Amino acid sequence: MNAHYELPLEDAGYSFGFLDEYAKKEVRRCILKAIAIPGYQTPYASREMPMGRGFGTGGLQLTLSLIGADDTLKVIDQGSDDSVNAVNLRQFVQLTCPGVAVTEKTQEATLIQSRHRIPEKMLTEQQILVLQVPYPDALVVVEPSEARRKVMHGEADYSRLLVKLYEDVVRFDEITISHRYPTRLNGHYVIDPSPIPRWDVPRLHQSPALVLLGAGREKKIYAVPPYTVAEPLVFDDIAFRVEDFRDANGQRIACRCCGSTVSFLDELIDDAGNVTHQCSDSSYCEEEQETISARKQA
Amino acid sequence: MKNEMTMVEVDIWHPAQQQQMFRSLLDAFSYPGRIQTCSQQAEPSLALLAALLDGQTTLSDPQDMLEESIWPKLEAQRVPSELAAFVLLDGSHAPEFVPSLGTLEEPEGGATLLLRVASLHDDDSAVLRMRLSGPGIREAVSISVDGLHQDWIDARNDWVSSFPLGVELVLCDAKNFVALPRTTRIEIGGAA
Ligand SMILES: [Zn+2]
């Protein structure tokens, strides 16, 4: 990304959100259809962005089409507000959207763009979550032809995907998919929910907040509308399970920083070679630490 | 109608106002049945068209509800109602055509119909009562409408019966609007 990028001024002198108004309108029309057809990968004409595809251009185009001067934006990458990618995207939006506030606190944000995680803190109806998607089509592992995949999706024919999942089960005795767990919306379309861990998948179910997913390279937008049934694909005899953070004694492992035993943990190996655990959602972890120190002072 | 539609159009052509209008419509689509109040000094139906349309999309106005002078500003291509992505209609008249419903492979081709009605109510006080459930609705809600021909709802329920094909309805009165995407189950009769 070019930090010295200059804003293009339109004829009217109005410039906000980098994209021209035609590009925004197209994305907006697609978003509405994506909500009306939960999980359907709505095609749009992805625009060139001043950064390579794969750096969240799909998510960024959604954010820029949604955002207004009264929004408060949070950008996270793998749970962190401070990673290079998150900082770059946030700075780009600040540069191109004058007046927009930014925050690291989940509950202060009206718009959250994220890669690989859903915030630990429960989202509300006043918030929109935008997820960056590298591979939008859950069927790509069983069918190379997009034309045929579109028919399969339309007919909600996921028998081959289920067979593929079942082969996994037979071989490994459980469903080994760690990320991008195929998830069915409103009893029809199966989506790739982006590379979020299994931990985050149940949060899509009956979410108070709208979740929008954008794939810049594949030029697709899809949605998990609020209060919608979102079910991970499962078999009768094998339940869906989120990651298990218990130690050898069956104790739930706590975050080394805040002590939380209810968050998704990243595994870290320190200099001495010891394995430690820490909240993946850094903003959640910091707030937990603040709460604890406030309690100690009281 | 024509007079109302051209009365004040202050800022509906400004990108910042269109962004706000879009966000209201986004809320309407996300939470079907929640009646949104138009923040603009214009009829919601016109403000919504201004926010959504450009030369890349198609519009039909079979009852000539729009002033001719509005068309160039909207930029949309004028096509027959059966083919249009957006159709502006007077909801008090029964439907006289079948809109585009999309296809199995491309269900986004289903039309968005903007129906001008007399008034929208979030209670049972108006003539046509509807009970709504489905995605975006946590617990079933009831709304009621004056100035909407019941055949619209019967026809719409038929058009959305083979998901993913279908249409989206946006009901607009003089100040408010409400969205009924194809996934919303509509039962006529209100609160049971
Ligand atoms: Zn922590």
Side-chain angles (χ1 to χ4, degrees):
Chain A
M1 194 177 338
N2 180 2
H4 304 292
Y5 179 79
E6 280 188 30
L7 296 176
L9 279 180
E10 289 181 18
D11 296 343
Y14 176 81
S15 179
F16 185 92
F18 179 77
L19 295 172
D20 64 70
E21 293 305 312
Y22 294 110
K24 288 183 199 167
K25 280 186 172 178
E26 199 219 350
V27 170
R28 289 170 185 167
R29 292 192 298 262
C30 282
I31 290 172
L32 296 177
K33 287 300 171 191
I35 295 170
I37 314 165
Y40 172 70
Q41 300 165 56
T42 316
Y44 75 108
S46 184
R47 302 296 167 116
E48 286 303 322
M49 301 298 288
M51 62 198 74
R53 288 190 180 134
F55 287 91
T57 56
L60 185 59
Q61 288 176 82
L62 280 171
T63 295
L64 294 172
S65 302
L66 292 164
I67 203 163
D70 50 359
D71 273 307
T72 302
L73 176 75
K74 172 180 166 77
V75 183
I76 28 175
D77 188 356
Q78 306 196 58
S80 166
D81 299 77
D82 303 323
S83 77
V84 175
N85 266 335
V87 171
N88 278 345
L89 285 173
R90 189 164 57 234
Q91 283 178 349
F92 182 76
V93 176
Q94 282 185 286
L95 182 70
T96 56
C97 305
V100 166
V102 295
T103 185
E104 296 192 0
K105 290 200 161 72
T106 297
Q107 66 275 18
E108 287 177 356
T110 55
L111 201 54
I112 301 171
Q113 179 170 338
S114 175
R115 174 174 171 266
H116 293 197
R117 277 308 312 276
I118 294 175
E120 293 289 340
K121 212 158 250 168
M122 186 65 108
L123 300 181
T124 70
E125 291 186 358
Q126 281 68 48
Q127 299 177 304
I128 300 170
L129 175 65
V130 171
L131 288 171
Q132 298 167 206
V133 180
Y135 309 104
D137 199 329
L139 281 175
V140 79
V141 292
V142 293
E143 175 53 66
S145 153
E146 187 179 5
R148 278 198 287 269
R149 291 199 301 269
K150 281 176 92 73
V151 175
M152 290 162 75
H153 279 297
E155 294 173 340
D157 173 10
Y158 297 104
S159 49
R160 284 163 64 193
L161 185 59
L162 281 162
V163 168
K164 171 94 176 135
L165 285 180
Y166 202 77
E167 286 169 359
D168 241 36
V169 172
V170 171
R171 199 174 319 153
F172 302 107
D173 233 26
E174 68 169 326
I175 294 174
T176 55
I177 301 168
S178 62
H179 293 82
R180 299 173 55 204
Y181 197 97
T183 303
R184 186 169 226 160
L185 301 185
N186 197 34
H188 193 102
Y189 288 97
V190 169
I191 62 162
D192 180 324
S194 88
I196 53 173
R198 292 202 304 277
W199 183 269
D200 288 344
V201 171
R203 284 144 185 276
L204 296 172
H205 178 65
Q206 300 293 343
S207 161
L210 168 67
V211 182
L212 294 171
L213 300 101
R217 188 179 43 217
E218 309 278 339
K219 306 179 183 178
K220 297 285 164 55
I221 291 167
Y222 49 110
V224 184
Y227 305 125
T228 295
V229 175
E231 306 161 299
L233 278 191
V234 285
F235 306 95
D236 294 340
D237 46 342
I238 304 131
F240 172 85
R241 284 192 317 201
V242 299
E243 290 79 356
D244 186 354
F245 292 110
R246 282 174 299 182
D247 62 18
N249 303 319
Q251 277 290 97
R252 175 54 151 92
I253 299 166
C255 167
R256 64 167 185 174
C257 302
C258 72
S260 173
T261 54
V262 293
S263 66
F264 183 82
L265 298 171
D266 282 340
E267 201 175 273
L268 306 166
I269 298 170
D270 67 16
D271 295 341
N274 301 313
V275 175
T276 60
H277 293 82
Q278 186 176 324
C279 295
S280 139
D281 183 336
S282 60
S283 149
Y284 167 86
C285 191
E286 276 162 33
E287 275 196 49
E288 286 296 297
Q289 293 175 53
E290 282 165 21
T291 311
I292 292 164
S293 61
R295 210 177 288 147
K296 275 183 188 156
Q297 282 166 9
Chain B
M1 188 73 200
K2 272 192 176 172
N3 289 335
E4 285 176 46
M5 293 286 258
T6 49
M7 208 171 57
V8 209
E9 23 181 280
V10 206
D11 269 320
I12 60 168
W13 310 106
H14 192 279
Q17 306 301 322
Q18 294 180 351
Q19 183 271 341
Q20 280 192 7
M21 204 62 210
F22 168 70
R23 287 290 285 271
S24 298
L25 187 60
L26 186 69
D27 282 342
F29 268 69
S30 298
Y31 305 99
R34 285 195 200 170
I35 296 170
Q36 312 288 323
T37 301
C38 182
S39 58
Q40 317 287 307
Q41 294 278 322
E43 285 244 351
S45 55
L46 183 59
L48 288 171
L49 289 176
L52 289 171
L53 300 189
D54 59 27
Q56 296 301 306
T57 189
T58 52
L59 173 66
S60 174
D61 174 24
Q63 292 141 337
D64 291 322
M65 294 167 73
L66 292 173
E67 279 287 341
E68 201 53 40
S69 62
I70 297 285
W71 277 91
K73 292 184 178 172
L74 292 173
E75 297 180 46
Q77 302 160 53
R78 201 183 289 215
V79 297
S81 300
E82 291 80 3
L83 304 175
F86 294 88
V87 189
L88 179 65
L89 294 148
D90 178 346
S92 65
H93 298 284
E96 289 169 354
F97 69 101
V98 177
S100 173
L101 305 179
T103 63
L104 202 60
E105 295 92 334
E106 291 171 347
E108 76 275 25
T112 302
L113 311 181
L114 286 89
L115 295 175
R116 180 62 162 88
V117 300
S119 59
L120 294 166
H121 304 262
D122 57 7
D123 54 28
D124 289 343
S125 60
V127 171
L128 185 60
R129 292 180 303 202
M130 297 186 271
R131 188 170 170 80
L132 312 175
S133 57
I137 305 170
R138 194 172 50 168
E139 281 174 55
V141 294
S142 293
I143 61 167
S144 63
V145 190
D146 277 331
L148 177 64
H149 201 291
Q150 188 181 319
D151 285 4
W152 275 111
I153 302 303
D154 294 333
R156 176 271 182 194
N157 283 347
D158 185 35
W159 295 334
V160 304
S161 60
S162 30
F163 186 84
L165 278 64
V167 294
E168 279 61 65
L169 300 188
V170 182
L171 309 183
C172 306
D173 68 17
K175 274 246 161 280
N176 313 290
F177 60 97
V178 68
L180 302 168
R182 67 189 75 181
T183 50
T184 304
R185 283 185 294 281
I186 306 179
E187 292 167 74
I188 291 177

